[in-house]
Amino acid sequence: MFLTRWQKRLYLKKLNCWSISLSSFDCTRTHSTINHESVLPTQAQVVICGTGVVANSLAYHLVENGWSDIVLIDQGKPCGGTSHFGSGTLGLFKPIAERNIIMYSIKLYRQLEAKGYDIGLKQCGSLNLAQTKDRMIALKRRIAYSSPTGLHCEMLGKNELKRLHPFLNTDDLEGGVWVPEDGVADPQAICKSLAKLASEGGAHYVTNCHIQKVVTEEDRIKGVHTSRGFIYCEYFVNCAGMWAREVGNLCSPKVRVPVYPAEHFYVTTSPLPGIGVDLPCIRDFDSHIYAREYNSGFLVGGFEKIAKPAFLNMKLIPPDWKKDMPSDWNHFMPYWEKAMSRIPILKDAVYPTLANSPDTFTPNGKWILGETPEIDNYFVAVGMNGNPLQGAGGIGKAMAEWIIEGKPTQEHLAFDVQRFLDLHNNRMYLQERTKEVVGRHYSIPFPHQNEYKNARKLRCSPLFSVLEKRGAVFGTRMGYERPLYFDTTYNGKGPPPEMPPGTFYKPKFFDFMLEEYHACRESVGIIDMSSFSKMKIQGKQDMNDDTESQCNGVVDWLQSLCTNDVNIPVGGIVHTGMLNERGGYENDCLLVRERENCYLMVSPTSQQTRVLDWLKDHLPKDESIQLADITSMYTVVNIIGPKAGALISELSQTDIDINVQPFTYKTVNIGYASDVMMMAFTHTGEPGFCLYIPSEYALHVYDRLISVGFDYGIRDVGSLTQRFMRIEKFIPFWAEDLTRDTTPFEAGCNHVVKLDKEYFIGKFALQRQKDQGITKKLVMFILDDLDPDKDIWSWGLEPIYRNGKFVGTVTSAGYGFTMEKLVCLAYIRRPFTDNRNRNHMVITNDYILSPTAKYEIDIAGTRFPVTPKIHTPCVNINMQKVSDDSQYVPKVISQITRN
């Protein structure tokens, strides 16, 4: 339905007369009663801030596990916040970690219904629509990784979509996906039902109570000051929804809870003829709208491309916040028009009602869960991103188990609160990011080509402006601007280049990446790696301690944490893992021994917060070890390629090939700069060096490298090219191939494990694996028959089949420049069958490489044969000195100053 400007004005005038704010919106169906009062106990084992659906789910699951000393504090009445507003939709068509949480939520809600609670639960299914071919590919990719892991979903054509939803206009659709297990429920009814059950189990609800301060002692929860007195507690859980960030600021040290509310709009209609209760939910991603049956009419909402952050002109969320949620038909009208076009019967709705409900979003659109890095026993469960009901059941269970067990019982790495820095908690940053993150829920997730546009250029290396002028196209990781690739056609004038529209096929900037690879292979490539996390670990300087005791203290402590032997000579570098008791990775890092009692630790960018917190948790109580985050002190560049040594030798006046052995470092001068740490390794598997440059020298050193390197064919290289090179070299990476649930033996990193050491965390788990065998293994697969120029690429999450049976999922994928083929990494297990013991699940190299095994990868519904490899098939490049018989040919240039 397209309206003229005049028609739209009349329509808006009519609609605004019938719009409502949240103060008059109520979808209550249940008659559950909750025991609550205003008297605050003096102590409790657990204090939960908030009484929304997530908080009540947590209290319920704690009660179910036998914990009854629980107090929930709310500034209003139970279930009186924002949890009960929203669509009430339950969607399982998501990545498996998120889906597992939602699947349990649905299971819990079924149990509530079975107990007699009227929660409006209906398993009506959902239709996920595609208007474009790119959207179809995105949906087919989801089907490919969802189906073998237990979700029933199928691709449908226009006629089948129309059959399931007769009111649907399918003229402009390419197709859609039917998910029959999806459903809807009443958020308010579930919120109150869980609160009632928690209350009956002993949880104590205190209403009209404001938290004034969360009190800590030695960075551990001690209690809570409230408007009704003080309560001592062992655990504090922030489930405060859109108030969570403000609650995080009510303690010392402050806790980062980077969430911000957006104005979230949806329309409800009067009953319409023929609308049945079993009508499937609609998610029209390309129109950024969803729709479901509601009281024999429809509820239509949107995830707008440009959302409206709430409370922009206020420092805090106002007490009467509902008054600041005005209806705004001008804002939502484009989405209502799309809804009427998709479901034409909506045009017959009399006086549709627009509701404006705030909902809390996170900087990357994923939940925030877990124990905070700032304060022990301070937990967070917030950031539901437009649908609190969907994850509440599973999140409550997961958080309860985390508190009870003292550690997560399932993989929550993507949702971990420790994935943030202070910058993410900045209010202006959150407001700007919220405008974009809402709409990204329905945008096409083009792999590695889907960067945020708002709240950028915040955390930059000293080289940022120079690299931008040289054609860098940047992405962001942990707020850091990192060059993804370099557009060499840019002349430094006019607006800097931007990434072209995304694709699931060969990237449109692939030729630039190929040039970057050839520089690393044939001459010299230079990569800005400054975003990597850098920690200083050293013995506390004490006049009463001798150097030997300090040295032994640092070494002994690191030996207890690290899988490898870290007692290396000064100047040495060792690659090691740090594990949990199950043998899973908590950290994958390099340790550089700078002095007898001092190490530099280098970890992936995303580890900056969580690994520092993990190390602090394991510090000796005598404070003999000191930790310092020095990430911003150094600018780091990788110098890669067969001519890297010659270039650095010229700039440092040192014969690098003679004086620097692999996995050692040397402090050198580069140009006029002193104290540059030159390390003989790279993060790509290619030969070369890594320069740790004091940041004040960064521009000078880079200028000298580029100027003198011109003769050597030097070229800027981006992180995407580096990524493809490390995958081709079979180098697993943290948070993709290495997680808290994968061990070094499973990842093929046996070389970093020294079981003959006396002890390290996880040793006994690894010893058992060695004795009993592993049940999964990281394998490289080469896509021999996929045409990179014509076929859809493997980008990650694709399922792997062995003789027709599902055996694993791709963790990393990229283009192998040397092989000129797509390659991917995936953990392989034996196919699951019932009644098998562990011995029958052990996986061996013979099993993986069996000549009778035929492997396939499913890429968006098409299966391609793949060849397994347990070792990298690539041949390492030999470092070579520039000599008379090499292929080095100097380039004639002018006006270059030499030192």
Side-chain angles (χ1 to χ4, degrees):
M1 178 181 180
F2 297 97
L3 304 179
T4 66
R5 183 178 302 176
W6 176 79
Q7 289 173 319
K8 185 177 293 188
R9 286 176 181 171
L10 288 178
Y11 194 50
L12 285 172
K13 185 175 181 180
K14 181 178 74 169
L15 289 174
N16 282 327
C17 293
W18 289 89
S19 297
I20 63 169
S21 67
L22 288 179
S23 58
S24 61
F25 187 82
D26 188 6
C27 57
T28 305
R29 292 176 175 221
T30 184
H31 299 289
S32 302
T33 57
I34 308 161
N35 296 322
H36 60 90
E37 53 186 74
S38 301
V39 178
L40 182 75
T42 58
Q43 64 182 27
Q45 189 173 13
V46 183
V47 169
I48 300 173
C49 176
T51 61
V53 65
V54 175
N56 292 335
S57 175
L58 170 58
Y60 166 79
H61 285 93
L62 287 171
V63 165
E64 286 289 290
N65 282 276
W67 287 35
S68 59
D69 190 11
I70 303 161
V71 172
L72 294 92
I73 297 174
D74 199 287
Q75 61 186 344
K77 295 181 180 180
C79 303
T82 63
S83 289
H84 62 288
F85 305 121
S87 65
T89 55
L90 303 165
L92 292 165
F93 196 42
K94 301 179 185 300
I96 192 165
E98 193 172 349
R99 189 201 324 154
N100 287 340
I101 294 281
I102 300 169
M103 193 171 291
Y104 176 82
S105 295
I106 295 175
K107 177 183 176 181
L108 174 64
Y109 304 155
R110 286 175 181 161
Q111 292 172 352
L112 293 178
E113 187 178 49
K115 291 178 180 180
Y117 289 94
D118 181 13
I119 60 170
L121 181 63
K122 293 178 291 187
Q123 189 174 343
C124 56
S126 73
L127 298 174
N128 301 269
L129 309 181
Q131 297 181 28
T132 66
K133 288 182 170 55
D134 278 338
R135 179 68 67 180
M136 282 289 283
I137 294 173
L139 295 181
K140 287 178 179 179
R141 279 170 48 83
R142 278 203 200 183
I143 291 176
Y145 67 66
S146 297
S147 296
T149 55
L151 182 66
H152 180 199
C153 50
E154 56 183 298
M155 182 62 70
L156 302 180
K158 295 182 181 182
N159 293 335
E160 295 165 301
L161 293 171
K162 188 79 171 180
R163 177 177 56 82
L164 287 171
H165 198 301
F167 301 96
L168 200 65
N169 172 21
T170 61
D171 292 345
D172 61 340
L173 296 180
E174 292 283 333
V177 178
W178 165 237
V179 185
E181 295 176 65
D182 283 358
V184 296
D186 184 336
Q188 176 77 330
I190 290 176
C191 189
K192 289 189 174 182
S193 299
L194 289 171
K196 181 175 184 293
L197 289 168
S199 177
E200 291 174 348
H204 189 78
Y205 283 73
V206 180
T207 57
N208 299 310
C209 181
H210 294 263
I211 290 180
Q212 297 172 338
K213 185 177 183 181
V214 178
V215 180
T216 63
E217 188 172 80
E218 296 181 350
D219 292 338
R220 189 179 185 89
I221 285 294
K222 180 179 181 181
V224 183
H225 273 297
T226 78
S227 58
R228 298 192 179 276
F230 185 83
I231 179 170
Y232 289 92
C233 62
E234 185 178 353
Y235 299 93
F236 178 80
V237 189
N238 186 340
C239 293
M242 68 178 178
W243 294 272
R245 180 177 173 275
E246 294 178 9
V247 173
N249 290 332
L250 298 178
C251 57
S252 181
K254 293 181 179 180
V255 170
R256 292 184 293 266
V257 191
V259 294
Y260 199 86
E263 297 186 21
H264 195 51
F265 296 91
Y266 54 90
V267 175
T268 53
T269 74
S270 56
L272 293 167
I275 304 301
V277 296
D278 294 325
L279 207 61
C281 297
I282 297 296
R283 293 184 183 89
D284 188 350
F285 297 112
D286 298 304
S287 294
H288 284 257
I289 58 171
Y290 60 84
R292 55 157 289 196
E293 181 275 335
Y294 182 76
N295 291 342
S296 298
F298 282 96
L299 183 153
V300 177
F303 287 89
E304 309 97 303
K305 290 183 178 180
I306 303 176
K308 295 179 68 176
F311 317 116
L312 278 176
N313 299 318
M314 307 169 193
K315 292 184 178 179
L316 299 174
I317 297 171
D320 55 348
W321 56 272
K322 294 179 182 179
K323 295 181 180 179
D324 291 288
M325 291 284 105
S327 298
D328 188 346
W329 272 108
N330 284 305
H331 176 78
F332 195 72
M333 177 54 71
Y335 300 94
W336 179 241
E337 289 179 350
K338 291 177 181 178
M340 289 188 290
S341 175
R342 180 62 57 220
I343 307 174
I345 196 174
L346 290 174
K347 300 173 188 176
D348 299 332
V350 179
Y351 302 127
T353 301
L354 178 66
N356 180 359
S357 66
D359 216 321
T360 305
F361 290 81
T362 66
N364 67 345
K366 294 184 182 295
W367 304 318
I368 300 179
L369 311 177
E371 187 175 12
T372 65
E374 298 90 352
I375 299 174
D376 291 342
N377 287 2
Y378 189 127
F379 287 81
V380 173
V382 295
M384 297 298 105
N385 297 288
N387 196 339
L389 180 68
Q390 192 162 249
I395 288 171
K397 177 179 183 291
M399 295 303 296
E401 291 174 350
W402 198 329
I403 291 170
I404 293 167
E405 299 294 331
K407 57 188 177 184
T409 56
Q410 51 187 295
E411 182 54 63
H412 299 308
L413 192 60
F415 317 122
D416 200 328
V417 66
Q418 296 182 348
R419 69 185 188 266
F420 297 113
L421 298 167
D422 284 339
L423 67 92
H424 297 108
N425 206 37
N426 180 289
R427 192 167 186 270
M428 293 182 65
Y429 169 92
L430 287 169
Q431 289 175 346
E432 192 66 22
R433 178 56 63 87
T434 299
K435 295 176 185 177
E436 183 178 3
V437 76
V438 173
R440 285 171 68 94
H441 279 69
Y442 278 10
S443 65
I444 297 178
F446 291 112
H448 310 297
Q449 305 158 73
N450 199 29
E451 294 292 332
Y452 286 96
K453 298 184 183 300
N454 293 2
R456 293 289 300 270
K457 296 186 179 180
L458 175 62
R459 200 176 181 206
C460 304
S461 89
L463 303 179
F464 174 82
S465 297
V466 175
L467 298 181
E468 187 177 48
K469 286 291 185 181
R470 293 178 63 84
V473 176
F474 291 92
T476 181
R477 178 72 64 90
M478 286 293 277
Y480 235 115
E481 296 290 335
R482 308 193 310 176
L484 299 176
Y485 68 93
F486 286 80
D487 183 344
T488 52
T489 65
Y490 180 61
N491 62 5
K493 299 178 181 179
E498 295 182 350
M499 182 174 286
T503 178
F504 291 108
Y505 293 85
K506 183 169 76 172
K508 296 178 174 63
F509 47 82
F510 177 79
D511 289 345
F512 295 127
M513 296 175 63
L514 189 61
E515 293 173 9
E516 293 172 6
Y517 163 74
H518 282 303
C520 296
R521 182 79 176 184
E522 299 166 5
S523 52
V524 185
I526 179 170
I527 308 177
D528 183 358
M529 305 285 291
S530 302
S531 67
F532 268 47
S533 303
K534 299 172 273 292
M535 312 289 173
K536 185 82 73 174
I537 304 171
Q538 60 186 342
K540 184 177 181 180
Q541 298 299 318
D542 192 326
M543 294 180 63
N544 297 322
D545 291 338
D546 58 46
T547 303
E548 184 176 355
S549 66
Q550 288 185 39
C551 167
N552 291 339
V554 174
V555 173
D556 291 346
W557 182 67
L558 285 173
Q559 292 285 44
S560 71
L561 301 181
C562 297
T563 60
N564 214 335
D565 182 4
V566 302
N567 192 12
I568 55 177
V570 173
I573 303 171
V574 62
H575 178 202
T576 185
M578 295 182 181
L579 313 180
N580 51 46
E581 295 289 355
R582 303 185 306 276
Y585 273 92
E586 294 290 340
N587 186 24
D588 178 51
C589 64
L590 292 167
L591 286 172
V592 183
R593 195 167 191 179
E594 296 186 83
R595 300 189 302 277
E596 290 288 342
N597 68 330
C598 181
Y599 289 79
L600 170 66
M601 186 183 76
V602 181
S603 300
T605 304
S606 60
Q607 284 279 65
Q608 185 170 353
T609 298
R610 69 176 309 279
V611 75
L612 182 61
D613 181 59
W614 189 85
L615 290 171
K616 286 180 178 178
D617 284 346
H618 292 82
L619 282 174
K621 294 183 179 180
D622 61 4
E623 300 182 350
S624 58
I625 309 294
Q626 293 183 330
L627 302 176
D629 186 338
I630 59 170
T631 299
S632 300
M633 289 178 60
Y634 289 95
T635 299
V636 182
V637 294
N638 264 357
I639 308 298
I640 300 170
K643 299 173 185 175
L647 171 59
I648 296 178
S649 293
E650 181 173 347
L651 284 170
S652 65
Q653 299 181 351
T654 302
D655 193 331
I656 301 301
D657 291 329
I658 295 175
N659 290 283
V660 183
Q661 300 302 311
F663 270 79
T664 64
Y665 88 92
K666 185 179 182 65
T667 300
V668 298
N669 298 335
I670 301 290
Y672 307 142
S674 304
D675 300 322
V676 175
M677 295 176 66
M678 182 182 63
M679 303 181 187
F681 73 88
T682 68
H683 298 283
T684 62
E686 303 288 346
F689 302 90
C690 200
L691 303 182
Y692 278 66
I693 308 162
S695 287
E696 62 267 32
Y697 298 149
L699 286 172
H700 169 74
V701 171
Y702 177 81
D703 176 71
R704 301 305 294 154
L705 287 167
I706 291 296
S707 298
V708 177
F710 189 90
D711 280 352
Y712 297 89
I714 197 168
R715 194 190 191 288
D716 292 299
V717 176
S719 62
L720 286 181
T721 303
Q722 179 235 341
R723 173 186 172 82
F724 285 6
M725 288 192 290
R726 73 93 179 159
I727 293 172
E728 188 178 32
K729 285 294 194 294
F730 206 162
I731 300 175
F733 196 67
W734 169 256
E736 295 184 30
D737 317 296
L738 306 176
T739 71
R740 290 183 290 212
D741 289 331
T742 59
T743 73
F745 291 163
E746 294 166 348
C749 298
N750 305 45
H751 59 285
V752 305
V753 177
K754 298 293 185 289
L755 287 176
D756 55 351
K757 287 171 54 177
E758 182 176 353
Y759 171 77
F760 59 84
I761 298 173
K763 175 182 176 179
F764 302 131
L766 294 188
Q767 187 66 62
R768 284 194 300 273
Q769 273 200 338
K770 183 179 180 182
D771 296 340
Q772 299 174 5
I774 57 176
T775 58
K776 65 179 178 182
K777 184 175 178 62
L778 191 65
V779 178
M780 173 185 280
F781 290 96
I782 302 173
L783 285 74
D784 294 302
D785 295 340
L786 184 146
D787 187 339
D789 293 318
K790 297 179 181 179
D791 295 319
I792 300 172
W793 282 26
S794 168
W795 291 102
L797 298 180
E798 293 86 3
I800 300 289
Y801 293 87
R802 184 184 188 271
N803 296 336
K805 295 182 178 179
F806 172 67
V807 291
T809 301
V810 173
T811 54
S812 296
Y815 183 80
F817 294 106
T818 306
M819 293 180 284
E820 299 183 339
K821 297 175 182 177
L822 270 293
V823 296
C824 59
L825 309 182
Y827 282 98
I828 300 304
R829 300 175 181 267
R830 288 180 182 268
F832 175 79
T833 58
D834 294 331
N835 301 319
R836 286 215 281 166
N837 60 35
R838 191 183 191 284
N839 291 333
H840 291 134
M841 298 301 290
V842 170
I843 191 167
T844 63
N845 291 343
D846 289 341
Y847 172 82
I848 294 169
L849 300 176
S850 169
T852 63
K854 305 299 181 184
Y855 290 92
E856 294 175 300
I857 183 173
D858 186 335
I859 303 178
T862 301
R863 293 193 184 185
F864 294 88
V866 289
T867 303
K869 299 288 182 181
I870 57 174
H871 301 294
T872 176
C874 303
V875 179
N876 289 327
I877 311 168
N878 292 321
M879 291 290 285
Q880 64 178 30
K881 298 175 69 173
V882 178
S883 60
D884 293 338
D885 57 356
S886 73
Q887 297 180 354
Y888 162 65
V889 178
K891 296 178 176 62
V892 179
I893 57 175
S894 60
Q895 295 182 343
I896 288 185
T897 304
R898 298 294 180 97
N899 60 345

